Amino acid sequence: MRTSSARRSTARRRWVDTVGAGTPEDPWVLRTPPGTSEYLLHRDGDTLVCTVGKTVLTYRARVLEDLHAMLVERGDWVELGSADEQRTAKEGTVEAWARAEDNPVGGWYGLRKGYRGRAGMYLPPLLEHLGLAELEHNPRNNRMRAV
């Protein structure tokens, strides 16, 4: 079991190799929180487009501001809890918040039916890149908090 000091030290490590401007022509090249997979993300108007291999997921772009506000309000580490749309998200996680009826949009931030989940996997690295959050980079059970 990891100690809290080990968690803190990994949380401060950022993925400095993130590149891109976040446009369709020059998307952000990000890595999942454990650092095992690379994916592309860009903003297209009011939509965030996330490309993982051949799979395309779309999210409401306002999720960036709303998620940051939720993290500020909670004031502590929040588990990511990434899950596919068909699976139940663990309560109290970023993933559960991104699909909850009491979030600012009243439900899913994901837009493409069947691919609305995984907000807890693909959005936290972007908040970290934008300097809005700290993110852990452990093999499993990562957390994030507002900065």
Side-chain angles (χ1 to χ4, degrees):
M1 188 164 161
R2 293 175 194 247
T3 65
S4 60
S5 62
R7 281 184 172 266
R8 280 195 298 272
S9 64
T10 56
R12 291 188 187 111
R13 190 176 80 212
R14 295 185 65 181
W15 296 107
V16 294
D17 60 347
T18 302
V19 296
T23 63
E25 300 78 25
D26 187 20
W28 291 295
V29 180
L30 300 163
R31 296 189 74 67
T32 56
T36 54
S37 299
E38 193 173 86
Y39 61 98
L40 304 176
L41 199 91
H42 71 271
R43 189 173 186 143
D44 190 6
D46 292 337
T47 305
L48 289 174
V49 180
C50 179
T51 306
V52 184
K54 293 183 180 183
T55 304
V56 176
L57 300 97
T58 54
Y59 301 96
R60 300 171 200 261
R62 71 173 282 178
V63 71
L64 300 174
E65 292 82 19
D66 292 350
L67 177 53
H68 182 255
M70 181 274 288
L71 294 169
V72 167
E73 182 178 311
R74 291 211 187 162
D76 201 3
W77 290 100
V78 177
E79 286 185 63
L80 302 184
S82 180
D84 288 330
E85 178 179 350
Q86 298 78 15
R87 299 188 66 172
T88 304
K90 181 179 175 184
E91 194 167 320
T93 63
V94 169
E95 187 70 40
W97 171 85
R99 46 175 89 183
E101 291 181 10
D102 64 347
N103 69 28
V105 296
W108 295 91
Y109 278 92
L111 297 172
R112 185 173 170 215
K113 184 113 171 107
Y115 296 89
R116 296 183 294 185
R118 296 285 179 180
M121 177 66 71
Y122 299 121
L123 300 177
L126 179 57
L127 265 74
E128 181 184 44
H129 172 69
L130 296 174
L132 299 172
E134 249 184 302
L135 181 59
E136 292 181 327
H137 297 285
N138 299 312
R140 298 183 61 110
N141 302 320
N142 288 299
R143 305 175 301 167
M144 70 184 304
R145 66 179 172 184
V147 290

